[in-house]
Structures are given as structure tokens and as C-alpha cells.
């Protein structure tokens, strides 16, 4: 059973516009959420995270929003750049566990 | 380079052969993870070490798979009697031992295994 879901396999955005990537989860025990970016032939690279005690975390052009009641998180990239084109994975974990659970990824293409 | 290092980058083997992969984590990290990723899927948990102790192993992991982390430093993942279904990217990651919350995984570039 997939505890972390990314329902959009792909997304295309014009350069300079906002990219919004979405993620849903089912396990209410999750208390730590992360986004990773992956280029072909490379491992996932950590981007940004958020604890369940917050509803927003910003780092430069990247902002992650958490809606615990809806079990939903999103990653906003503003402004989008061609170098942001990659596959983005969301992930979640809980403090009493040792695993990180990943979604299936969303492929973002930023069009120059 | 202080990132997670994995060797080899690519491995092609014939069905039935044994293969071994190595992972060198970030030096100050005491947690080490192995994940597997297939096309169109996210990374899937295989096993996890805290220092030299293997604390968790996925129920999906058959007994053909074994992992070690002697002396709590590098780790090896061995697959015995490989099958075509083992073809995947094997990812190693490490993190600081501060509990799952607040300690992101840092991944290596993976070992791509192809079983013919």
C-alpha cells in the first residue's frame, strides 16, 4: 500500500512562472516531510523539509506547505527556472519509525 | 568530496550470479539506509543500520539479500542467485542519528544493476 502518493506524473511550466507539486499521504503518524529532486543517473538530492508542527517552510525559491487535516503537502517553486527540470519526490517519516516513505515522483519540465 | 559514495555505478550480471555493492556514507552520519528504485517508482526501503547494528529490514526483502556494516563505517549489500526481477537502481543514503524527524537522508548516486 502506497502511504505517500503523487498523483501527477508530470508537469510543464513556463520559465519564470510558479511550479506547484502536490503530494498526499495516508498515515496520520507521519511527522516529518521532505522533498527531493532527482536528475537522470543521479541519486535524489534533498531540497527542503517540514516538521508537522509547522505549516510552511521557505528556502529561497522553494516553499513547502503542509495541511495536516487534509494530509496534503505541496512544493512551490517561484520563479521556475529551466535547471529545475527534474523528477521531484515527496517523502515522509515518523519519529518512532526508521523508514522514509517515498511517492512515485512528478517529472517537472520548465520551458524556456 | 564528503558526499555518499557508491561503487560500482553499473553492474551487469547473468541470472544466478552473486553481486556485491559498496556504500561509503558521509563520515559523521551514523545511520545508513539501502533503498531500491525501479522505473517510474519512488525509492523503496530495503534495510537500515544505526552504527553497525542492522535495526530494520523490509518484509519485501528476500533472504537472497544480505547487508552488513562492519565497524559502523561502510556498508555492503549482497544479492545471491540474482534474478531478472532484481534489476533496479540500488541507492544508499545516510543521515545523522537524531531521530527520523529533522534528519534528512543524503543519497549516493546509486548502483544500477542489470540482470540478463
Amino acid at each position: 500500500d502506497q502511504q505517500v502518493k503523487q498523483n501527477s506524473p508530470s508537469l510543464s511550466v513556463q520559465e519564470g512562472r510558479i511550479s506547484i507539486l502536490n503530494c498526499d499521504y495516508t498515515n496520520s503518524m507521519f511527522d516529518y516531510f521532505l522533498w527531493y529532486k532527482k536528475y537522470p543517473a543521479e541519486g535524489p538530492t534533498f531540497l527542503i523539509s517540514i516538521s508537522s508542527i509547522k505549516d510552511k517552510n521557505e528556502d529561497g525559491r522553494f516553499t513547502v506547505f503542509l495541511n495536516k487535516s487534509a494530509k496534503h503537502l505541496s512544493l512551490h517553486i517561484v520563479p521556475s527556472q529551466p535547471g529545475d527540470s527534474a523528477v521531484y519526490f515527496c517523502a515522509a517519516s515518523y519519529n518512532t519509525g526508521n523508514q522514509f516513505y517515498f511517492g512515485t515522483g512528478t517529472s517537472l519540465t520548465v520551458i524556456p | 568530496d564528503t558526499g555518499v559514495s557508491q561503487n560500482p555505478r553499473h553492474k551487469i550480471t547473468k541470472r544466478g550470479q552473486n553481486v556485491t555493492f559498496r556504500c561509503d556514507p558521509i563520515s559523521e552520519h551514523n545511520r545508513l539506509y539501502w533503498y531500491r528504485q525501479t522505473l517510474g517508482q519512488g525509492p523503496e526501503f530495503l534495510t537500515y543500520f544505526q552504527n553497525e547494528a542492522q535495526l530494520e529490514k523490509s518484509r519485501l526483502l528476500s533472504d537472497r539479500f544480505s547487508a552488513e556494516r562492519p565497524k559502523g563505517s561502510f556498508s555492503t549489500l549482497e544479492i545471491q542467485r540474482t534474478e531478472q526481477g532484481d534489476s533496479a537502481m540500488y541507492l544508499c543514503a545516510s543521515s545523522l542519528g537524531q531521530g527520523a524527524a529533522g534528519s534528512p537522508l543524503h543519497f549516493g548516486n546509486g548502483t544500477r544493476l542489470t540482470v540478463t
Side-chain angles (χ1 to χ4, degrees), chain A residues 23 32-36 46-50 64 73 89-93 100-102, chain B residues 100 102-105:
Chain A
C23 179
Y32 183 50
F33 304 89
L34 312 90
W35 284 95
Y36 284 82
F46 170 68
L47 265 180
I48 191 169
S49 63
I50 187 168
V64 56
L73 68 155
F89 293 96
C90 65
S93 70
F100 289 73
Y101 298 84
F102 285 80
Chain B
S103 299
L105 298 182

Side-chain angles (χ1 to χ4, degrees), chain A residues 1-2 6 31-32 34 36 38 40-46 49 51 87 89-90 92-105, chain B residues 9 31 33 35 37 40-45 48 50 55-58 89 91 95 98-110 112:
Chain A
D1 60 337
Q2 192 78 21
Q6 293 176 259
D31 58 8
Y32 183 50
L34 312 90
Y36 284 82
K38 187 180 183 304
E42 293 184 11
T45 301
F46 170 68
S49 63
S51 163
V87 178
F89 293 96
C90 65
S93 70
Y94 53 93
N95 200 33
T96 55
N98 298 311
Q99 292 190 35
F100 289 73
Y101 298 84
F102 285 80
T104 52
Chain B
R9 290 295 308 273
R31 293 188 169 199
Y33 299 76
Y35 277 78
Q37 185 174 20
Q41 300 298 314
E44 176 187 36
F45 173 79
Y48 148 75
Q50 174 132 347
L55 297 185
E56 194 164 341
K57 191 173 173 180
S58 169
M89 174 75 82
L91 293 163
S95 74
Q98 296 174 351
S103 299
L105 298 182
H106 295 270
F107 284 91
N109 283 329
R112 178 162 296 284

Side-chain angles (χ1 to χ4, degrees), chain A residues 3-36:
Chain A
Q3 298 190 55
V4 178
K5 300 177 185 178
Q6 293 176 259
N7 293 320
S8 298
S10 61
L11 175 68
S12 291
V13 172
Q14 289 284 344
E15 181 179 4
R17 305 294 290 269
I18 184 171
S19 295
I20 300 176
L21 297 99
N22 294 303
C23 179
D24 297 294
Y25 61 95
T26 58
N27 190 338
S28 58
M29 289 183 64
F30 287 147
D31 58 8
Y32 183 50
F33 304 89
L34 312 90
W35 284 95
Y36 284 82

Side-chain angles (χ1 to χ4, degrees), chain B residues 36-94:
Chain B
R36 176 173 63 191
Q37 185 174 20
T38 53
L39 196 62
Q41 300 298 314
E44 176 187 36
F45 173 79
L46 293 179
T47 190
Y48 148 75
F49 291 84
Q50 174 132 347
N51 299 313
E52 66 275 9
Q54 187 174 17
L55 297 185
E56 194 164 341
K57 191 173 173 180
S58 169
R59 289 170 299 190
L60 303 175
L61 207 61
S62 80
D63 54 11
R64 296 184 297 106
F65 287 71
S66 63
E68 293 182 345
R69 193 182 182 198
K71 302 178 184 177
S73 56
F74 71 93
S75 176
T76 58
L77 177 68
E78 181 183 18
I79 309 173
Q80 297 182 326
R81 305 182 303 282
T82 52
E83 302 173 355
Q84 288 186 324
D86 297 332
S87 296
M89 174 75 82
Y90 289 83
L91 293 163
C92 177
S94 67

